Amino acid sequence: MIVALKRGASPEKESQLIDWLKGMGLGVHISRGEFQTVLGLIGDTGRVDMDLVASLDIVDTVSRVTETFKCCNRKFHPDDTVVQVGDVKIGGGNFALIAGPCSVESEDQIVYIAKAVKAAGATLLRGGAFKPRTSPYDFQGLKATGLEYLKIARQETGLPIVSEIMSRADLELFEDVDVLQVGARNMQNFDLLRELGHLNKPILLKRGLANTLKELLMSAEYIMASGNENVILCERGIRTFSDYFRNTLDLSAVPMLHELSHLPVIVDPSHATGIARMVPPMALAATAAGCDGLIIEVHNDPQNALCDGAQSLKPEDYADLVKKVMAVREAVK
Ligand code: PEP
Ligand code: MN
């Protein structure tokens, strides 16, 4: 249920109302927008007398939220959420350029790429240390050592770091990682999501290979319902009958997720296409569709990459793409 308060509602009456609602066993999510404060009620709202609440002099409107996702629902929080990572803001008009290799392979490799993507304009560095590979015989990542190399790259460049966490057993290792990525394969690992909800750290939540937007939002809800509101949604392509691509980039997800939710929405054209030369056109299309950022795989030596070389851009191609992304942003402003 949504209770929108009148402009200028007195703080005393507002807290009286909140206490009263909490007294009925409800969770109250408070969103203070520029023009209006909105209270989102979570729990069994069936017992709340809507007419009584609507009659209060500080209440503007009362409505029911029919969707099963509440905390991430735009009705609960009409303004865009801006996720802050150090000095970097994502969402609400702030565009994130996340770039780096699929996997951290060595200290030299990640430091080299970090410097190159930073020079190109990237604002965050990505790099997998724990890799969810289809085959158990493929490179599984450098794990804890990979995270240490990422931290060195952060120290060298100042770029905040983004890395995928696959299991809650690894949480301690990620204490000093700036953004925790939940990969497509773990989008519905509900135990992991719940645990991440107890952190006070941004979570980059990728859409599962075969998941609907509603399921993606319900996974965000798992994290937010446990208390962590710093969630970034990521469209990274879904399984269809497309034959030439690794996945199909569902670009329509961007405006729809923006309509349904207040969370920032970024796009990963690398995993969506699986082909380096397809990354720039899809990155530009995603930018035109209004995404809040791009996560793109960049490798100094794609041919010899230990993971996802075929979809990785060379640093110079990434630099070229960033310029075009900026031009598209300007054009669609
Ligand atoms: C990745 O970002 O390297 C990755 C494995 O992505 P996804 O979970 O989208 O496949
Ligand atoms: Mn990858």
Side-chain angles (χ1 to χ4, degrees), residues 102 126 131 271 297 307-308 311:
C102 179
R126 64 148 288 151
K131 294 305 304 176
H271 292 88
E297 288 188 343
C307 186
D308 286 351
Q311 67 194 34

Side-chain angles (χ1 to χ4, degrees), residues 198-249:
H198 295 126
L199 306 182
N200 184 21
K201 213 186 247 296
I203 309 297
L204 195 171
L205 178 65
K206 289 187 143 196
R207 182 179 181 183
L209 276 70
N211 285 110
T212 62
L213 297 184
K214 203 179 281 177
E215 286 163 346
L216 172 63
L217 291 170
M218 288 313 295
S219 290
E221 194 73 14
Y222 261 93
I223 301 169
M224 299 176 81
S226 299
N228 187 353
E229 302 200 336
N230 301 302
V231 180
I232 303 156
L233 303 172
C234 179
E235 163 59 36
R236 49 77 72 204
I238 47 171
R239 279 278 163 85
T240 66
F241 45 81
S242 162
D243 44 5
Y244 286 100
F245 293 96
R246 191 171 173 182
N247 292 289
T248 297
L249 180 55

Side-chain angles (χ1 to χ4, degrees), residues 93 287-288 326-333:
T287 307
M326 290 312 163
V328 169
R329 264 177 66 69
E330 202 53 44
V332 297
K333 217 152 74 180

Side-chain angles (χ1 to χ4, degrees), residues 261-282:
S261 173
H262 52 88
L263 296 174
V265 180
I266 68 165
V267 169
D268 174 348
S270 307
H271 292 88
T273 62
I275 305 168
R277 67 179 186 284
M278 297 295 156
V279 170
M282 290 300 97

Side-chain angles (χ1 to χ4, degrees), residues 2 5 28 31 40 42 60 84 96 116 144 147 156 188 208 222 231 234 239 244 246 256 305:
I2 301 288
L5 302 185
V28 182
S31 165
I42 306 161
D60 187 10
Q84 183 110 24
L147 293 179
E156 295 272 329
Q188 289 189 310
Y222 261 93
V231 180
C234 179
R239 279 278 163 85
Y244 286 100
R246 191 171 173 182
M256 183 54 88

